[in-house]
Amino acid sequence: IAEVQYGGRITDDLDRELFITYAAKWFCDDIFKPSFCFNNYPFDFDYKIPEGQEMPQFLTYIETLPTVDSPLIFGLHTNADLTCRQLEATMMLTALMETQPKDSGSGAGKSADEIVREKAQELFEKTPKDFI
């Protein structure tokens, strides 16, 4: 199965080795046992294959999935989440700064700081509570 990921278009040898490793670990009969759990560390949520064969059972399970996954489930250190969020915040603030007008006219409009503060407040209000 791992050899045909992405339609058989894995061209990098290390990527191929990684997919083969994942397949050996996760694509086995053990994943169908009720006691199997994808995360092998203590966490608030146990990632499992839901029991049952009917659509409502799967939908119920999907609704219980956490909105923000721990980086541990992907084999990453917990600092990966912090690094990712810092990078996203930096990119967003950079984009805000780059979209500001460069001229400093003497009009009665808002200053660049006021506009950025206003946009940051708008984004803050739209941000889900899990990200704050």
Side-chain angles (χ1 to χ4, degrees), residues 8-112:
R9 293 187 182 97
I10 298 177
T11 57
D12 183 80
D13 288 338
L14 293 176
D15 288 345
R16 184 176 292 107
E17 186 175 331
L18 177 66
F19 273 86
I20 291 170
T21 302
Y22 281 156
K25 174 78 173 164
W26 302 119
F27 296 165
C28 61
D29 290 336
D30 289 344
I31 66 173
F32 299 107
K33 293 179 181 174
S35 61
F36 181 83
C37 189
F38 284 100
N39 48 311
N40 56 0
Y41 56 87
F43 189 62
D44 295 338
F45 186 82
D46 289 332
Y47 293 86
K48 313 175 157 205
I49 293 179
E51 294 184 33
Q53 296 180 354
E54 301 298 322
M55 179 75 77
Q57 294 167 313
F58 283 93
L59 293 175
T60 301
Y61 178 79
I62 289 169
E63 289 172 1
T64 66
L65 291 170
T67 54
V68 178
D69 292 314
S70 167
L72 295 172
I73 193 66
F74 302 107
L76 301 172
H77 190 273
T78 51
N79 284 345
D81 188 44
L82 176 63
T83 302
C84 178
R85 290 176 193 234
Q86 286 177 336
L87 179 60
E88 287 176 346
T90 300
M91 289 171 38
M92 178 190 65
L93 292 173
T94 300
L96 277 173
M97 295 302 291
E98 289 175 351
T99 58
Q100 296 304 308
K102 305 296 185 238
D103 61 344
S104 58
S106 59
K110 297 177 184 176
S111 71

